[in-house]
Amino acid sequence: MRDGILVVAKPRGLTSHDVIQKVRRFLGIKRIGHAGTLDPEATGVLPLCIGRATKIVEYIQDRPKTYVAEWTGGVATDTEDQSGNVVERINGLHLTWEEVTSAFTSFIGPYAQTPPMYSAVKVKGKRLYELARQGKEVERTPRLVTIYDLMILDGNLEQDPPRVRFQVRCSKGTYIRTLCVDIGKKLGIPAHMSDLIRVESGGYHLEEAHSLEEIEEAAASGKVEELISPLEEALSFLPSLTLSKKWADKVIHGAALPRGFSHMPWQTGEKIRLVSDEGRLMAVYQVVNGEEIWAKPEKILFTEDPVDRGYAR
């Protein structure tokens, strides 16, 4: 089985863990992880890391994500999305596109977002959604997130309640349902997110995602490897450095790279991918620019350990 990324088009009604369990059964392997959770009612891109690719989950999920969402004004729910119970409603709103556009675009850039109660964020060791199900609400610390781009696609402000469909590109950890609530607050009205599709995550787009039915069929016919994007491509957004065979053998064992190893103007703290002269992704290193050490290992992705190179079944 090839190590790499299997991009799934998550359907509505399944948790991200449900998707992993199904794919594990299709492929007959356990070593699978996802790179960024999607709520059960959300659909779209869910990258799954297969085999050694589970080691690079953090690099993929740290990248910006793009969503197409629907905002509904005048109605608030306890979960901030369409799956919750209505807790507030205002009928007969009269909104203009000028004020709606101004409210939406005001969130472009960094902003402090308070995680919703129905989320997996932990407070004093407890998941917020566990407390929410007990009817409890606790104080949450706002987190700084970034909205890189936000564009209104279409909508209807004349209907009751008014709805707006928009596309947003944002940083890791951004709750789009909370963004919808905050846009409502900007307009002085209750609001919630009534639909969510993730169209891009980790550099993978909805157009290249595969349905669970397609994956099951490919696995049954022995062609599932054709759906898996190679591990070597998964970190293509990081700068690369090609190693000689001598240094590739040392990197396998986690050797640091000495000062003067590269004469490129790498910045301290920068992450680079190390590739063998055969094109195999060996490791991710971080530049430290120390007196003796130029770069140190962060993730060793190829080793001589047969267990590491294989799959737990």
Side-chain angles (χ1 to χ4, degrees), residues 212-230:
L212 289 174
E213 292 77 15
E214 184 181 357
I215 295 168
E216 183 177 22
E217 183 179 335
S221 61
K223 297 180 179 179
V224 74
E225 288 199 8
E226 297 176 8
L227 307 184
I228 300 175
S229 176

Side-chain angles (χ1 to χ4, degrees), residues 153-173:
L153 301 175
D154 55 48
N156 188 338
L157 301 184
E158 303 302 319
Q159 72 181 71
D160 194 7
R163 298 177 186 272
V164 175
R165 196 167 65 97
F166 65 99
Q167 179 171 295
V168 57
R169 182 169 172 79
C170 57
S171 63
K172 170 192 173 184

Side-chain angles (χ1 to χ4, degrees), residues 54-111:
T54 54
K55 292 185 175 183
I56 63 170
V57 164
E58 63 193 82
Y59 302 114
I60 297 175
Q61 67 183 9
D62 281 352
R63 299 189 71 191
K65 299 170 176 59
T66 305
Y67 300 87
V68 170
E70 184 182 69
W71 175 91
T72 295
V75 181
T77 71
D78 55 2
T79 59
E80 302 186 350
D81 65 8
Q82 75 276 27
S83 69
N85 300 311
V86 174
V87 294
E88 186 179 1
R89 183 188 297 272
I90 298 177
N91 296 318
L93 290 173
H94 298 287
L95 300 174
T96 68
W97 278 112
E98 182 179 2
E99 59 189 357
V100 167
T101 301
S102 176
F104 270 76
T105 56
S106 70
F107 284 91
I108 296 176
Y111 97 96

